[in-house]
Structures are given as C-alpha cells and as structure tokens.
Amino acid sequence: MTYFINHSLFCALTQITMFTKSSNGNNAKYAQDFFSVNRWILRCAGLWRPSTINKYIQICYTFYAILVFAFVNLWFTFTEFVSLFYTFKNEYELIKNVNFFLTHFMGAIKVVFWYFYGNYLIRIMAALEDPQFYYEGYEKYQPSEISQRYKKIGQKYSLMFLLLAHATLTSSYIPPTITTVRLLKSSRNSTMLPVNLPYYSWMPFSYNTGLKYLLAMAYQAGPMFNYAYSIVGMDSLFINIINCITGNVVIIQGAFSTVRERCMVQHDTVASRNQPIQENIVLINSMKMELLKIVKHLQTLFKASEQLENVHRFVTLCQVTATLFILCTCLYLVSIAPPLSKQFLIEFVYMMAMSYQLYLYCWFGNEVTLKFQELPQHIWESNWLATDTQYKKSLMFTMLRTRKPVFFTAGRFSRLTLPTFMSILKTSYSIFALIKNTSN
C-alpha cells in the first residue's frame, strides 16, 4: 500500500515538473487526453479496452468485444447481404437495402482495419501528444490555448457526427415503435402492424405479432446502433488525428514567429525586437536550440501525416466511393417519396448524415493542407536578420521542406479538400439526373 502511494506521489510530482517548465505557467494548461471522446465512442463499439487494471472488467469487455465482432460485423452484415435477394423485385426497397448494406459493410471493413492497423494510429496519437513539444507563450501567442481550442473542435464535430447518426436511426425506429405500442394497447388485430422492419435484414424468427415485432426491432436495433458507434468512432478518430496535426501546425507557426522573443524572456534579456543580437552568443545559441526543437516537432508532424496517409488512404477511397453511390441513390429515393412524408424525412436525414461524413473528411483534410502552406510565411516573419549564417541556413532548409504540400487523399486518386467535396456533390447530382431521366 505504501509503495503505491509513494509511486503515485512520484508520478504526480513528475507530471507537475514536466508541465510547469514555463515561467508563466502556460504548459500546465495544454489540452490533455486530446482523443478522449474518440476513445469513449470506440469503447462503446467494443474497439478500445478500458484503462482500468481490474481483470474482471477486462474479461467482461473481452467477451463484449468478441460478441460484437461475431454477431454484428460478421453475422448481421451477412444477413443484410442475404436480404438483398428478397428485395430485388422492388426498386425502392432494393436501393434502400443496398445503401444500408454498403454503409454497414464499410463499418465492418473499418473494424477489421482497426484490428490490423490500430496500433499504428495509437502510435501516431502518442507522437502528436508528446509533452516535449510544449512551448512557452508570449503575448498573443498562447500555444496552450491553441491546443485547447483544437481539442474542443475535435470533440464538437465528433459528437455532432454521433448525434446525427443517432438521429438517423431514431427517426426510423420511433414511428413503428409508437404504432406497435398503440396497437398492443388497443388490442387490435396484429395484421395492422407495419409490414416491414425499419431496415432490411434476414430474421431468424417471424414477427407477426406486436410483441414479436418489438422483439425483432430490438434484435435489429442493437447491431444498428453498434454500427453507428464503430463507424462514427473510426471516422471521428481519423478526422481528429488530422485536426490534432492541424493544431500542432498552428502552434509551430507561432513558435517560429516568436522564437527570438521567447528566448529573450527565457534569458531575461531586455531588448527591443529590432535590436541586433549578433554579440549575444548565449541568446543565439538558445535560439538555435529552440529552432532545433521546432524543426524536430515539424518532422514529427510530417512523419505522422505520411504514416496516416499510407495507412488510411485505401479505407478513405472505399468510403468516398461508397458515399458517392449512396448520395446518388438517396437523391433518387428522396425525389420519388411524397414531400414531408415519413419516407421522405428518413431518406433526407440519412442523406444529410452521409454528406456530413464526407464533409468532415474533406474539411479537415483541407484545413491541414492550408496550415502547412502558411508555414513559410511564418518562418519568414521570425526575427532572423541579425542571426548568424548557420541559423539562417537552417531556416532556409526548413522553408524549402515546408514548400512541399501535405495533404490526405482517397487512395492517391483525389485529395481531401473542399473543392473535392463540391466535385463529389456535383457528380452525385449529375448521376442522379441521368438515372431520373432514364427511369422516366
């Protein structure tokens, strides 16, 4: 017991020392646990183990993860595929069934991807949260506030995506649930039950009575909501890693611009920004050390971006291709449904969810590309005129490296940018118009 108390105190003192290097205490305010929301979502999907050391909780979670993978990603995805053969004679039902099968099949692919490449993502996350790349603030440049701001951005968009996924499912399950409960209370004939379940999948039992229909919906809703958590969890983790890279680039921008001023504060040097510093060897050496730290941080971001692109680009390609097809078919289903009907609202919400998913990919990919493009300007704005030749050469080589664009792609075919998002929307509408004209 005494050992654990002493060990905890030692860890606490170590962390306090680590996060209070700055004289103004800015490092202590850096965002901690940047990916907490993503971990929570993945934990609900059975993809991220709890941090507790309790072996019973770990055993229970292992059974939960195995059950989810076997029942949801293997069995239920297969039953959705089988149901395609039961709906091929009805155009509306077939298109809707194909849409959801594609969505959930992509969810199963992302789960398998996590089992094979999750460790790569975890290492990237750890590198991005490394405390050795914390900087002291100076006037308007407050890196801790930048870190907090980007953490809130990631949390906001991750939760909004999860909320939209819940809204899509809830809008499909609430109407038949209300109808069934009313019929049970009124003791009417079971033939007045809804003909189909909210989503198409092969069922191992009939649902021709009110209670059986509610049981069938519960049997189906469990995997559906688990799909939502696995899809949102994997997608939000990907975009939040890109968001974390973007936040680090913004921090580096300010670090370059204020490198001399922060070194002056560190050495208690009283001087104006325009005062020559050639004679102050100590300050020049301090700036070189700070520049070395910034460059190392920048190299870490380049490596993290390259690794994330190499690992995730094929999953991104599959997702973008599936989304393109789903948007086309959703437009068609919305166009043939009566305005403001239940079918219209359900398909419209689903289409918005898929559009939002694609938008997040492209918006965050666009942001990180723009922030990397701005780096040379911030390097130029640093007070480098009075430094020595070695320092200037280091800056020059860094500027040359930052001129190489950093971007994320869908399988190396298309960059994840806002123009790509608009292009996909236009292509979806063009294909929809072609299908609509052909069907008429």
Side-chain angles (χ1 to χ4, degrees):
M1 183 67 179
T2 305
Y3 167 79
F4 286 110
I5 293 176
N6 293 334
H7 180 70
S8 301
L9 289 174
F10 173 77
C11 293
L13 290 173
T14 303
Q15 291 183 353
I16 291 173
T17 304
M18 180 183 299
F19 295 128
T20 55
K21 291 181 179 179
S22 173
S23 60
N24 55 10
N26 288 320
N27 287 348
K29 300 177 184 178
Y30 259 83
Q32 304 302 309
D33 203 3
F34 195 92
F35 303 95
S36 57
V37 171
N38 308 107
R39 273 195 282 266
W40 172 77
I41 297 175
L42 289 173
R43 191 167 289 134
C44 293
L47 299 177
W48 196 294
R49 286 187 171 276
S51 56
T52 178
I53 60 174
N54 189 310
K55 67 176 182 179
Y56 298 107
I57 295 179
Q58 292 292 341
I59 292 173
C60 291
Y61 190 82
T62 300
F63 280 112
Y64 170 71
I66 294 173
L67 176 65
V68 166
F69 181 78
F71 177 68
V72 177
N73 297 289
L74 295 181
W75 167 252
F76 199 82
T77 304
F78 173 74
T79 62
E80 285 190 309
F81 175 74
V82 171
S83 68
L84 294 175
F85 298 97
Y86 293 90
T87 58
F88 71 94
K89 293 183 179 180
N90 187 303
E91 180 186 53
Y92 177 85
E93 292 182 353
L94 177 62
I95 293 175
K96 185 175 180 180
N97 198 12
V98 170
N99 283 351
F100 280 97
F101 170 72
L102 276 178
T103 302
H104 299 152
F105 182 68
M106 280 304 306
I109 289 178
K110 291 172 183 176
V111 170
V112 175
F113 166 81
W114 172 257
Y115 284 125
F116 280 96
Y117 296 100
N119 288 332
Y120 290 92
L121 300 182
I122 292 174
R123 285 198 290 268
I124 293 172
M125 294 159 61
L128 295 176
E129 293 185 287
D130 195 338
Q132 69 171 310
F133 299 126
Y134 288 175
Y135 303 92
E136 296 80 10
Y138 179 80
E139 294 183 353
K140 292 183 179 181
Y141 171 63
Q142 298 298 331
S144 57
E145 294 179 3
I146 297 173
S147 175
Q148 294 283 0
R149 183 171 76 249
Y150 275 88
K151 179 181 179 180
K152 290 179 181 178
I153 290 174
Q155 290 178 338
K156 180 179 71 173
Y157 283 99
S158 298
L159 292 175
M160 286 176 61
F161 191 14
L162 182 63
L163 181 63
L164 191 56
H166 275 277
T168 304
L169 293 173
T170 308
S171 64
S172 299
Y173 279 104
I174 286 182
T177 302
I178 293 175
T179 302
T180 306
V181 171
R182 285 178 177 175
L183 290 175
L184 287 174
K185 288 183 177 181
S186 62
S187 301
R188 293 183 181 179
N189 197 313
S190 61
T191 57
M192 299 181 66
L193 287 170
V195 178
N196 296 315
L197 292 169
Y199 300 103
Y200 299 101
S201 60
W202 179 83
M203 299 296 293
F205 55 88
S206 62
Y207 45 92
N208 52 2
T209 65
L211 290 176
K212 287 184 177 180
Y213 188 85
L214 291 177
L215 179 61
M217 282 200 299
Y219 172 88
Q220 188 185 75
M224 289 295 176
F225 278 95
N226 188 269
Y227 280 130
Y229 278 94
S230 60
I231 293 171
V232 173
M234 290 302 302
D235 286 345
S236 64
L237 179 64
F238 173 64
I239 63 174
N240 204 21
I241 291 176
I242 299 178
N243 174 56
C244 188
I245 294 174
T246 306
N248 276 271
V249 175
V250 175
I251 291 174
I252 286 178
Q253 290 176 355
F256 273 122
S257 300
T258 61
V259 59
R260 175 177 181 255
E261 289 76 12
R262 289 183 295 107
C263 289
M264 288 168 56
V265 172
Q266 181 181 356
H267 292 280
D268 296 324
T269 303
V270 180
S272 66
R273 180 178 176 83
N274 298 321
Q275 179 180 340
I277 57 173
Q278 290 178 334
E279 70 283 359
N280 195 331
I281 303 300
V282 175
L283 190 54
I284 291 179
N285 290 335
S286 179
M287 291 178 63
K288 289 179 180 179
M289 294 300 296
E290 186 68 12
L291 179 62
L292 184 64
K293 173 183 174 181
I294 299 172
V295 170
K296 184 179 179 181
H297 190 183
L298 186 59
Q299 290 173 343
T300 300
L301 297 188
F302 284 137
K303 184 178 180 181
S305 301
E306 182 180 4
Q307 290 177 340
L308 184 61
E309 164 68 9
N310 291 336
V311 168
H312 211 277
R313 66 180 186 271
F314 293 117
V315 176
T316 307
L317 176 62
C318 294
Q319 182 61 63
V320 170
T321 305
T323 302
L324 176 62
F325 175 83
I326 292 171
L327 289 179
C328 296
T329 53
C330 279
L331 282 170
Y332 179 74
L333 295 180
V334 168
S335 68
I336 64 177
L340 301 181
S341 64
K342 181 181 71 175
Q343 292 83 3
F344 177 88
L345 295 176
I346 291 174
E347 297 302 332
F348 183 78
V349 171
Y350 180 60
M351 184 175 65
M352 289 297 101
M354 298 306 298
S355 301
Y356 185 72
Q357 180 186 31
L358 180 63
Y359 171 76
L360 290 180
Y361 271 66
C362 295
W363 188 81
F364 281 97
N366 190 75
E367 281 294 298
V368 73
T369 300
L370 292 178
K371 296 305 180 184
F372 270 112
Q373 289 176 351
E374 296 170 0
L375 269 175
Q377 179 63 31
H378 288 272
I379 296 174
W380 175 261
E381 291 175 354
S382 63
N383 197 348
W384 52 268
L385 291 174
T387 55
D388 59 16
T389 304
Q390 183 183 2
Y391 187 89
K392 293 174 182 177
K393 285 183 178 180
S394 299
L395 281 184
M396 183 179 64
F397 287 128
T398 304
M399 290 182 68
L400 290 174
R401 175 60 184 89
T402 55
R403 292 186 64 183
K404 182 180 179 181
V406 175
F407 48 82
F408 294 92
T409 67
R412 304 287 191 189
F413 290 104
S414 180
R415 297 182 182 183
L416 297 180
T417 59
L418 290 180
T420 300
F421 174 72
M422 296 305 300
S423 177
I424 292 175
L425 292 185
K426 291 177 182 178
T427 304
S428 300
Y429 183 79
S430 299
I431 298 175
F432 154 71
L434 179 63
I435 296 173
K436 189 70 175 176
N437 293 333
T438 304
S439 62
N440 291 337

